[in-house]
Each structure stands twice: as structure tokens, then as C-alpha cells.
Amino acid sequence: MTMAKWTVHGFDDYAAYLQRIGANSKEIIGVGVYAMAKVIADNIKAKLNALPAVSNEANIATYKQGYSRLSVEEKKGLLDGFGVAPMQDDNGVWNVKIGFDGYNSIKTEKYPEGQPNPLIARITESGSSYRKKTPFVRPALNASKKPALEAGKHAVDQKIKELGQ
């Protein structure tokens, strides 16, 4: 009876390659993460830009009738408050958050500094008792999956080439 023998050639070169990448891993990962985030953020912003909006006065009138729509001021607040947070390490998982921050210009008794943009985004996306849902984040995410992965892969490959690794 004979035993099979398997020889791996070039493993030392591959191990050295991985070690070199390890020295620049945060930089390489960051380029890929931000490339993916850009594709997703651009798609969300495009979907948000495409949403219909009414004047705030028209919105107040319809709100009193039991329903409302996204107002021009709310939409502007969402566009101004939209962004990508800095990359962070969550126990070895590198990620960025894409979302809404800040307040819009519509001041109310309940919100004297303006309505919170994250709240308006959630109400627009999911609906509420007085507003029909108008999804724009979920469709943008679904449409962005493959292009974002491709952009991340391309950015990582390019960065590795730039670093001469």
C-alpha cells in the first residue's frame, strides 16, 4: 500500500504576501469599505432626490385632515443631514454607517430646534399613522448590492497594486 503525497509550491511567497498586506490592512480595507459605502450612499441620495415633495403649508393642511406627505423643507433636511460616518472597528469587523443626522428647519412646539432628520427618514421609509410609506432606502440598498461589491473589490485590488504588493 502506498500513501499519497501532496506538495504545495509557492506557499512561502503567499504567506509573505499576506504578511505585507497585513501591515496595510486597515488602509486596504478602508478603501474597499468606503468604495462600497459611496455606491450605496449615492443610490440612496438619488432615490431621495426622486421623492415628490409638497410645500410645508400644504403639508400642514393635509396633516390636519389625517394624512401628510414629505414637505420640501423635510426633504431638504434629509438631503443636508445625509452622510457616511467614519469607519470603525467592531471587534474585527470594519464598517461605516450610512444615515441621517441633525434637524430640519421645521420648528414645532415638540421640536423647537427642528424635526429630527432620522425620525423624518423613518416615517418616510416606513410610514406612520398620518403618512403613507414611501420606501427609498430599502430599494436603494437592494439595487446597490452587486455594484457596491464590485466597487469595493476594484478599489481593494487597485490599492494593493498601488502599494506594490
Side-chain angles (χ1 to χ4, degrees), residues 54-111:
V54 298
S55 71
N56 195 42
E57 293 78 22
N59 202 26
I60 290 169
T62 58
Y63 178 77
K64 290 177 181 176
Q65 296 170 4
Y67 67 93
S68 73
R69 294 181 292 182
L70 183 68
S71 74
V72 172
E73 291 87 350
E74 289 171 333
K75 186 174 178 178
K76 182 180 180 330
L78 291 177
L79 288 167
D80 291 346
F82 182 71
V84 179
M87 188 172 70
Q88 59 189 45
D89 177 5
D90 295 330
N91 295 321
V93 177
W94 292 93
N95 63 59
V96 294
K97 293 181 181 177
I98 301 172
F100 301 91
D101 193 23
Y103 302 89
N104 65 30
S105 62
I106 302 172
K107 297 177 183 354
T108 64
E109 188 175 315
K110 186 173 181 178
Y111 301 111

Side-chain angles (χ1 to χ4, degrees), residues 38-52:
K38 181 180 181 341
V39 170
I40 294 167
D42 288 349
N43 206 344
I44 291 172
K45 206 165 206 176
K47 297 279 188 198
L48 178 56
N49 271 317
L51 290 178

Side-chain angles (χ1 to χ4, degrees), residues 8 31 50 106 115 117 134:
V8 177
V31 167
I106 302 172
Q115 299 168 326
N117 286 325
T134 312

Side-chain angles (χ1 to χ4, degrees), residues 1 3 20 24 30 33 48 51 59 65-66 72 88 92 101 110 114-115 124 128 144 150-151 156 158:
M1 184 163 130
M3 294 190 66
R20 284 194 312 271
N24 297 307
V33 168
L48 178 56
L51 290 178
N59 202 26
Q65 296 170 4
V72 172
Q88 59 189 45
D101 193 23
K110 186 173 181 178
Q115 299 168 326
T124 303
S128 71
S144 299
E150 286 300 316
V156 166
Q158 191 66 27

Side-chain angles (χ1 to χ4, degrees), residues 8-27:
V8 177
H9 298 284
F11 185 73
D12 292 335
D13 293 338
Y14 186 65
Y17 172 73
L18 292 176
Q19 221 167 12
R20 284 194 312 271
I21 288 177
N24 297 307
S25 63
K26 182 178 179 185
E27 185 178 356

